[in-house]
């Protein structure tokens, strides 16, 4: 048995150990005459996070297994989540059924109370998972821009030609991690597995966790560390630094956006939904507190904050304005509209709230509406792929 196979079997056994207590706890509260499906449903309800981790573990393990088989190497094929659950819970289920065969009415009543308790705990955990997922969604976009391929190639070329330039590779990871797609996930997995620089490896691991992937954090390399492994990035997070980098690192940061989302900051949940819908339409969206979250932190705003936004407007093919009472009265939003209108590019208006008296700047903007979970225009197909 090879080293990789032993490692994988070890990972599977450790995951099985994590499942043992939760599964035995669920088995103890099952009612008389329960079925396997009822047991599995209760486990999913009471331990939603663990079930999601098990699904992700299976998916990543299966991808790893298929990759090795395609290369002609041996691999360890993982059990399906349902099969692993019943394998680990086999003895607990058998014991529970024996106990249930002789259980009294009082015992069944106590089990029902305990069952209700762990169901409440599970629902609370599920709510927390939903909140965490919402937080994750606002950090990235589910779309794959074409320039991601070039960034990935540049990363490995940079590592080969100038291994001490950690700043450039750090920026590439930040850029790629703004987009959750198969290419970026595979890229981050490679860095997590093979990168010798500790900071970059940890950064890739953290983004994989945000993506909801079940990564295995590789251990630090033993022995004397080279400078390439211990060097850390020296880039300060500020609008002024970002503005400078946009011009100095154009190969990394200078890119085109399909849509610049002009909005008021107060309605984040609706804006996240808007971004998600546009992503599903295959569009790369610019939102300042998502795309440039690290550099444009509100507590670090300065005179260059809007200069960065001017550059992002110039990099955008179209603008979509989210009309609300706050956005219509926002000086920053009006400045964005005035600047973009001078660029003579398509401008679109989504009326999230009805406003009777609007400034003249809105004249000529194409109205869009939300239909069947897509933004559409009333006329011909729009410039940035809004369907008519």
């Amino acid at each position: 048995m090879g080293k990789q196979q032993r490692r994988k079997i070890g990972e599977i056994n450790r995951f099985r150990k994590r499942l043992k207590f939760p599964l035995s706890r669920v088995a103890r509260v099952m009612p008389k005459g329960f079925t396997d499906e009822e047991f599995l449903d209760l486990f999913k309800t009471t331990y939603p996070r663990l079930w999601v981790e098990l699904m992700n573990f299976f998916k990543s393990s299966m991808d790893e297994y298929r990759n090795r088989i395609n290369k002609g190497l041996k691999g360890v094929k993982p059990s399906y989540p349902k099969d692993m659950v019943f394998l680990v819970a086999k003895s607990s289920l058998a014991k529970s059924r024996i106990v249930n065969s002789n259980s009294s009415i009082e015992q069944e009543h106590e089990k029902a109370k305990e069952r209700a308790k762990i169901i409440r705990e599970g629902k609370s955990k599920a709510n927390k998972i939903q909140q965490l997922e919402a937080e994750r969604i606002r950090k990235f976009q589910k779309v794959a821009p074409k320039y991601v391929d070039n960034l990935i190639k540049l990363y490995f070329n940079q590592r080969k030609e100038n291994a001490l330039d950690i700043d450039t590779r750090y920026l590439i990871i930040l850029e790629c991690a703004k987009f959750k797609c198969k290419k970026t996930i595979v890229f981050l997995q490679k860095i997590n597995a093979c990168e010798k620089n500790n900071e970059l490896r940890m950064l890739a691991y953290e983004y994989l966790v945000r993506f909801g992937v079940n990564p295995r954090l590789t251990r630090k390399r033993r022995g004397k560390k080279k400078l390439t492994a211990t060097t850390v990035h020296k880039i300060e997070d500020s609008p002024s630094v970002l503005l400078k980098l946009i011009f100095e690192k154009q190969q990394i940061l200078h890119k085109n956006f399909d849509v610049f989302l002009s909005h008021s900051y107060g309605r984040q949940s609706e804006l996240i939904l808007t971004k998600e819908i546009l992503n599903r339409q295959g569009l790369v969206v610019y939102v300042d507190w998502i795309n440039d979250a690290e550099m444009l932190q509100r507590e670090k705003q300065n005179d260059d904050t809007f200069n960065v936004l001017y550059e992002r407007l110039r990099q955008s093919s179209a603008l979509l304005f989210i009309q609300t009472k706050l956005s219509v009265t926002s000086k920053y939003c009006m400045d964005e509209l005035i600047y973009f209108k001078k660029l003579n590019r398509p401008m679109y208006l989504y009326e999230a709230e009805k406003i009777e008296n609007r400034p003249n700047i809105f004249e000529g903007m194409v109205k869009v509406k939300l239909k069947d979970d897509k933004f559409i225009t009333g006329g011909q197909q729009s410039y940035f792929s809004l369907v008519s």
Side-chain angles (χ1 to χ4, degrees):
M1 184 183 296
K3 182 178 179 181
Q4 191 276 340
Q5 290 172 291
R6 289 195 299 272
R7 176 186 64 77
K8 196 65 199 178
I9 290 173
E11 285 182 15
I12 293 171
N13 288 336
R14 285 191 291 275
F15 206 104
R16 285 176 178 173
K17 285 182 180 179
R18 290 182 59 200
L19 290 170
K20 196 166 185 179
F21 172 75
L23 290 172
S24 64
R25 185 188 182 197
V26 173
R28 284 197 300 269
V29 300
M30 294 304 296
K32 187 181 293 186
F34 71 90
T35 64
D36 284 351
E37 288 303 318
E38 288 172 337
F39 169 74
L40 183 62
D41 288 341
L42 185 58
F43 170 67
K44 292 178 184 179
T45 301
T46 52
Y47 290 93
R49 187 183 187 91
L50 190 54
W51 175 253
V52 170
E53 285 186 37
L54 178 56
M55 296 286 285
N56 289 335
F57 179 77
F58 168 75
K59 185 178 183 303
S60 61
S61 298
M62 183 60 78
D63 288 342
E64 183 180 348
Y65 170 74
R66 287 170 177 161
N67 288 336
R68 290 187 64 83
I69 295 301
N70 290 337
K71 293 177 182 178
L73 302 172
K74 292 182 179 180
V76 178
K77 187 175 182 179
S79 301
Y80 286 93
K82 182 178 177 180
D83 295 338
M84 184 182 285
V85 164
F86 286 115
L87 180 65
V88 175
K90 185 176 180 180
S91 60
S92 298
L93 289 174
K95 183 178 179 180
S96 179
R97 286 188 168 112
I98 292 173
V99 172
N100 281 354
S101 62
N102 299 314
S103 64
S104 64
I105 295 176
E106 291 78 8
Q107 288 173 325
E108 287 297 313
H109 180 67
E110 286 299 317
K111 284 194 292 184
K113 287 172 61 178
E114 183 64 22
R115 197 160 56 244
K117 177 184 175 183
I118 64 174
I119 287 174
R120 286 195 301 271
E121 292 175 358
K123 289 181 178 178
S124 176
K125 292 174 185 175
N127 289 334
K128 290 180 181 178
I129 291 173
Q130 288 179 351
Q131 292 173 5
L132 180 61
E133 184 61 25
E135 180 64 20
R136 284 174 177 166
I137 288 173
R138 73 184 293 268
K139 300 286 186 180
F140 55 76
Q141 299 189 53
K142 293 182 180 179
V143 68
K146 294 180 181 179
Y147 59 79
V148 165
D149 290 325
N150 295 330
L151 286 177
I152 293 172
K153 291 178 183 178
L154 179 61
Y155 181 92
F156 293 110
N157 288 338
Q158 190 71 22
R159 188 172 70 176
K160 183 179 179 180
E161 297 172 3
N162 189 3
L164 285 174
D165 185 2
I166 303 302
D167 286 358
T168 297
R169 282 188 282 158
Y170 172 80
L171 287 172
I172 292 173
I173 293 176
L174 290 185
E175 285 299 310
C176 288
K178 292 172 183 176
F179 304 95
K180 182 182 178 181
C181 59
K182 187 174 181 179
K183 292 176 182 178
T184 55
I185 290 174
V186 171
F187 169 60
L188 294 173
Q189 286 173 332
K190 286 182 180 179
I191 297 173
N192 178 47
C194 306
E195 178 58 62
K196 295 179 181 179
N197 183 272
N198 294 328
E199 183 189 32
L200 299 181
R201 184 169 53 85
M202 281 300 301
L203 186 64
Y205 172 80
E206 289 168 5
Y207 276 118
L208 286 170
V209 172
R210 289 188 193 181
F211 281 176
V213 179
N214 188 41
R216 179 180 66 88
L217 180 61
T218 53
R219 296 179 180 178
K220 290 184 178 181
R221 296 176 183 269
R222 298 177 180 178
K224 187 177 180 180
K225 305 292 189 302
K226 293 183 179 180
L227 194 59
T228 53
T230 57
T231 303
V232 297
H233 83 277
K234 301 178 179 64
I235 299 174
E236 180 187 351
D237 293 339
S238 76
S240 299
V241 172
L242 176 57
L243 186 64
K244 182 180 178 182
L245 289 172
I246 287 176
F247 294 105
E248 290 184 354
K249 302 280 187 179
Q250 289 193 26
Q251 194 175 8
I252 302 170
L253 296 176
H254 192 96
K255 52 186 176 290
N256 296 321
F257 300 97
D258 295 313
V259 188
F260 184 101
L261 202 60
S262 183
H263 62 282
S264 61
Y265 187 73
R267 302 174 62 149
Q268 291 189 34
S269 59
E270 294 179 19
L271 293 166
I272 290 171
L273 178 60
T274 300
K275 172 187 65 87
E276 286 284 288
I277 293 170
L278 293 170
N279 282 170
R280 286 195 291 271
Q281 290 180 245
L283 304 172
V284 180
V285 185
Y286 179 80
V287 184
D288 55 355
W289 48 272
I290 294 176
N291 297 73
D292 291 324
E294 295 84 4
M295 300 291 195
L296 295 185
Q297 297 177 43
R298 302 228 159 218
E299 62 273 16
K300 295 183 179 180
Q301 285 187 354
N302 60 30
D303 293 339
D304 282 324
T305 299
F306 215 86
N307 290 326
V308 170
L309 294 180
Y310 284 145
E311 290 303 317
R312 296 312 195 191
L313 285 162
R314 277 198 285 268
Q315 294 170 355
S316 301
S317 299
L319 179 143
L320 176 61
F321 182 79
I322 309 301
Q323 176 182 285
T324 64
K325 293 176 182 177
L326 289 174
S327 63
V328 169
T329 57
S330 168
K331 177 184 181 302
Y332 294 107
C333 289
M334 292 304 105
D335 285 347
E336 289 171 358
L337 294 182
I338 292 169
Y339 186 85
F340 201 80
K341 196 162 191 176
K342 292 177 182 178
L343 298 176
N344 196 28
R345 296 175 188 171
M347 300 175 68
Y348 298 85
L349 173 66
Y350 174 60
E351 297 177 325
E353 291 180 352
K354 292 290 183 181
I355 306 293
E356 291 186 4
N357 298 315
R358 289 189 302 228
N360 294 333
I361 188 69
F362 290 92
E363 292 181 6
M365 292 178 67
V366 179
K367 289 185 179 180
V368 300
K369 58 184 178 179
L370 193 57
K371 183 179 180 182
D372 299 328
D373 207 23
K374 286 184 179 180
F375 282 109
I376 62 171
T377 61
Q380 297 179 345
Q381 184 169 338
S382 77
Y383 183 80
F384 60 109
S385 301
L386 293 178
V387 296
S388 58

